[in-house]
Amino acid sequence: MTRSAGAPPDLRPDLALLCDWIRPGSRILDLGCGDGALLSYLAEHRQVSGYGLEVDEDKVARCIKAGANVIQADLDDGLRDFDSGSFDYVVMNLALQALQRPDDAVTEILRVGRVGIVTFPNFGHWRVRAALAAGRMPVTPSLPDRWYDSPNIHLCTVDDFEDLCRQRGWRIIARRLLDRSHHEGARIRLAPNLFCEIALYMLQSPEPSA
Amino acid sequence: MSTGFPADSVGLVQPRRIPIAQPLTLDCGRVLPQHELMVETYGTLNAAHSNAVLICHALSGDHHAAGFHDAQDRKPGWWDSCIGPGKPIDTNRFFVVSLNNLGGCQGSTGPSTVNPETGRPYGPDFPLLTVRDWVRSQALLADALGIGRWAAVVGGSLGGMQVMQWTIDQPERVAHALVIAAAPKLSAQNIAFNEIARQAILSDPDFHGGRFYDHGVVPTHGLKLARMLGHITYLSDEAMRAKFGRLQRVNQFSFNFDVEFEVESYLRYQGQSFVERFDANTYLLMTKALDYFDPAREHGDDLAAAFRRAQARFLVIAFSSDWRFSPQRSREIVRALVRAGRDVSYALIESTLGHDDFLMPIPQYQRVLRDYLDRVAREAGT
């Protein structure tokens, strides 16, 4: 199990993994925060303060009900309301592939946050490749949407993402490559781009803010 | 037991006039030795005095926010959609206080009340006020009602500005601040509209330099024009199009200046009914208070610096079709609150009507208010 001993059973496992990376008492910005589960958990158990950004009005209402700080905003409008280096962490969980310009988004994340945490479904997974080889758009457990109703417009593989990191000079501080049960394993270590389903990256900008 | 009123109405309510005996030093430098405030309250103050909610009204609002004054009333108070048993501002849980602001014309001390020194209405002798002055006056009201700290201070438009000022000037007395359809200060365009409204009143021959009471007249034309102009800014282009379009009362041009288009008829009606209930000097005073509002000003034009004093948690709400105080203006408030490290949530409500949507029972709006205030109530122990 990759799940940390302290992670709560009621928190979604992907969020529990992110929690491990976030220092108690820090200040975070959660992009695409959904119902605010991560923020609420971190506020309650790790004295973490911060805000979530969410575009969906139903999720915004759920955040407010949960007592999380949520700001209704479209991630594609950028983070211009936020000062550079004003958060310890900027987190974006499984939203990168749904943005107009994921590269600009990561640049903004690393401007506003001293550390950026980005997760995405790996489009290099063998199930995806198998579907494409059969001439079909993939519908897999980690990519459940059909081609016509999918919010995902910029899917990438682990190798694609790491290429982009190299090109832009983003430093990979840590990464976790997991299957859909959020386990690491021998197969993933052997051929990450083929067996990883969910990728988690901790990044820093080329010039870290002091 | 009120009969004939809806079950979720506070029912029959009675305003009361509360004397404020303490002298009030105003931003303009003058001192009001005492004043009176017209107040309505709904619900019950709990033993801990922890469940009080203050409602701050907008430009033309007053103390009558919910319920009915008599059984024959056709319309309830101005925010009845939101205040009542089981409503978002739930009077089963909260003790809700709604007042007519100082300078108003619905019973609180203002330009149309008699100046005890002269025995005549104050008129132009009544001092111009600021939002800060209102907060000072409302804080004295809170003292009079035995309320040390508000569970929430809530207001839309100019009311939302009072909410912000409360959190800055009386930080320890506000637990939650609900800032709805507001702006951190007026834009030049906002001030321009206010100036035209004022000029309409000031140039009415019946205004008599504000002493029209002595002449037994009312500057009807000016006040009506001011209200007609204001109304345009309260509605979106889309709402006006949907409501009136280019509909004519008679399907022929009449080639004169009588009412032809439905929108003209509507504006004239709104203007006329306003004149019957509102005072021209109060209108002038309210628009000036709007123009002067700028809490960043005393903090080096840095709104975040102003909000660093605040201790409240904030809920900021804007409406997509509002162009008077557009969502962008609310985002300025949110940005400053984030920079100040304050707790804040921001909801943008899809709407069609425009600025006036803050008075409407829009489901998403009510849901957000209800869920937020549910937490406030639990925190207050009710």
Side-chain angles (χ1 to χ4, degrees):
Chain A
M1 290 287 286
T2 51
R3 205 145 106 179
S4 74
D10 55 331
L11 192 64
R12 275 183 9 225
D14 56 325
L15 299 181
L17 286 164
L18 293 181
C19 286
D20 292 349
W21 277 353
I22 292 167
R23 221 174 40 246
S26 56
R27 188 170 144 89
I28 78 162
L29 184 63
D30 184 2
L31 307 181
C33 65
D35 61 5
L38 179 69
L39 286 167
S40 300
Y41 175 80
L42 287 171
E44 200 176 325
H45 298 276
R46 306 272 172 100
Q47 295 75 50
V48 166
S49 63
Y51 310 88
L53 258 55
E54 179 54 58
V55 70
D56 181 81
E57 65 168 31
D58 178 58
K59 290 174 181 163
V60 167
R62 278 152 62 191
C63 284
I64 288 170
K65 196 178 176 71
N69 288 328
V70 62
I71 295 166
Q72 190 167 345
D74 188 341
L75 298 186
D76 280 322
D77 293 340
L79 302 178
R80 58 180 175 275
D81 282 355
F82 300 94
D83 294 341
S84 297
S86 55
F87 289 89
D88 296 313
Y89 303 93
V90 178
V91 178
M92 190 161 65
N93 187 34
L94 298 176
L96 189 72
Q97 72 285 353
L99 299 182
Q100 293 291 334
R101 286 298 297 263
D103 55 338
D104 292 346
V106 175
T107 303
E108 275 289 90
I109 285 170
L110 297 181
R111 176 184 69 80
V112 171
R114 283 182 274 279
V115 170
I117 296 174
V118 173
T119 79
F120 58 88
N122 175 30
F123 207 64
H125 186 256
W126 67 266
R127 280 180 202 276
V128 173
R129 299 190 200 198
L132 288 169
R136 293 291 182 171
M137 279 299 282
V139 177
T140 73
S142 54
L143 289 165
D145 304 297
R146 293 155 299 187
W147 66 271
Y148 51 86
D149 61 5
S150 171
N152 302 329
I153 54 175
H154 286 119
L155 289 155
C156 70
T157 71
V158 163
D159 287 354
D160 290 329
F161 185 76
E162 294 197 0
D163 272 352
L164 184 67
C165 291
R166 268 189 295 277
Q167 277 171 32
R168 301 293 167 95
W170 302 331
R171 294 175 300 145
I172 298 172
I173 306 302
R175 71 168 192 182
R176 293 181 90 163
L177 304 176
L178 310 168
D179 65 19
R180 65 176 179 278
S181 312
H182 303 93
H183 297 158
E184 288 165 325
R187 288 195 310 177
I188 295 177
R189 277 194 295 277
L190 196 68
N193 205 31
L194 195 58
F195 290 109
C196 159
E197 289 182 273
I198 303 288
L200 285 66
Y201 283 86
M202 189 189 254
L203 304 172
Q204 272 189 331
S205 60
E207 304 97 348
S209 42
Chain B
M1 193 63 212
S2 61
T3 51
F5 299 116
D8 62 353
S9 166
V10 295
L12 212 54
V13 293
Q14 196 150 28
R16 56 190 169 128
R17 191 176 275 116
I18 296 184
I20 306 291
Q22 296 92 327
L24 182 64
T25 304
L26 304 169
D27 272 346
C28 67
R30 289 170 59 185
V31 179
L32 274 181
Q34 72 269 318
H35 65 282
E36 294 180 322
L37 295 173
M38 247 348 216
V39 176
E40 283 181 10
T41 65
Y42 323 110
T44 312
L45 187 62
N46 63 8
H49 291 203
S50 63
N51 68 333
V53 171
L54 176 67
I55 308 293
C56 299
H57 69 69
L59 183 64
S60 61
D62 56 36
H63 53 278
H64 185 38
F68 300 84
H69 280 163
D70 65 66
Q72 276 70 53
D73 262 1
R74 281 185 303 129
K75 281 169 80 176
W78 58 268
W79 213 12
D80 196 77
S81 64
C82 221
I83 303 168
K87 288 180 181 172
I89 302 173
D90 188 347
T91 51
N92 289 331
R93 306 172 83 184
F94 291 117
F95 176 64
V96 180
V97 177
S98 175
L99 77 154
N100 183 213
N101 277 352
L102 177 64
C105 53
Q106 306 297 334
S108 293
T109 303
S112 53
T113 52
V114 171
N115 181 349
E117 286 174 21
T118 64
R120 288 162 50 198
Y122 282 97
D125 297 334
F126 198 82
L128 287 184
L129 301 172
T130 65
V131 171
R132 284 166 39 130
D133 292 330
W134 281 332
V135 169
R136 292 184 184 111
S137 155
Q138 289 162 2
L140 293 172
L141 174 65
D143 295 342
L145 295 172
I147 295 159
R149 184 168 183 253
W150 299 101
V153 182
V154 186
S157 192
L158 175 56
M161 294 170 172
Q162 293 160 58
V163 176
M164 285 186 267
Q165 198 72 58
W166 258 101
T167 68
I168 295 165
D169 292 354
Q170 306 275 343
E172 67 292 338
R173 298 189 77 171
V174 187
H176 290 268
L178 281 70
V179 180
I180 304 166
K185 61 186 171 195
L186 291 204
S187 68
Q189 188 193 46
N190 295 145
I191 295 172
F193 276 113
N194 281 348
E195 171 58 5
I196 299 171
R198 283 192 293 269
Q199 285 303 325
I201 293 168
L202 295 168
S203 61
D204 186 323
D206 284 340
F207 183 63
H208 295 289
R211 298 203 184 280
F212 51 90
Y213 319 99
D214 301 343
H215 295 78
V217 292
V218 169
T220 309
H221 287 291
L223 187 54
K224 198 169 147 181
L225 274 178
R227 182 60 169 178
M228 287 166 79
L229 183 73
H231 240 280
I232 299 172
T233 70
Y234 305 151
L235 294 177
S236 67
D237 184 26
E238 189 194 332
M240 279 205 171
R241 202 187 313 252
K243 204 166 179 175
F244 313 109
R246 290 181 49 83
L247 272 182
Q248 287 174 256
R249 317 195 83 188
V250 187
N251 196 22
Q252 249 178 354
F253 293 151
S254 56
F255 296 100
N256 62 33
F257 300 118
D258 293 342
V259 167
E260 282 192 80
F261 292 93
E262 285 295 344
V263 65
E264 297 173 317
S265 159
Y266 170 81
L267 285 177
R268 288 189 193 193
Y269 171 79
Q270 289 294 337
Q272 189 55 46
S273 58
F274 190 64
V275 165
E276 286 156 18
R277 69 177 177 91
F278 216 80
D279 175 75
N281 283 313
T282 288
Y283 200 86
L284 293 172
L285 178 153
M286 294 279 170
T287 62
K288 276 313 254 194
L290 267 168
D291 291 2
Y292 289 152
F293 177 72
D294 183 5
R297 193 181 150 99
E298 302 123 56
H299 298 87
D301 285 323
D302 181 359
L303 189 61
F307 280 137
R308 275 191 198 103
R309 301 166 53 87
Q311 296 173 17
R313 298 188 64 172
F314 288 78
L315 174 65
V316 177
I317 299 178
F319 296 87
S320 64
S321 61
D322 184 354
W323 63 275
R324 182 184 173 90
F325 296 146
S326 72
Q328 202 47 47
R329 307 308 311 279
S330 285
R331 284 295 291 267
E332 290 174 36
I333 298 167
V334 172
R335 188 189 311 143
L337 287 166
V338 168
R339 290 187 62 205
R342 299 280 78 85
D343 281 317
V344 55
S345 282
Y346 167 66
L348 171 61
I349 309 298
E350 275 302 319
S351 76
T352 55
L353 200 57
H355 187 59
D356 267 356
D357 269 319
F358 85 85
L359 297 167
M360 297 295 144
I362 301 169
Q364 172 73 0
Y365 176 36
Q366 298 228 318
R367 178 184 176 190
V368 164
L369 284 177
R370 186 185 301 276
D371 286 346
Y372 191 89
L373 287 166
D374 175 58
R375 295 186 70 90
V376 175
R378 277 187 278 147
E379 226 178 87
T382 65

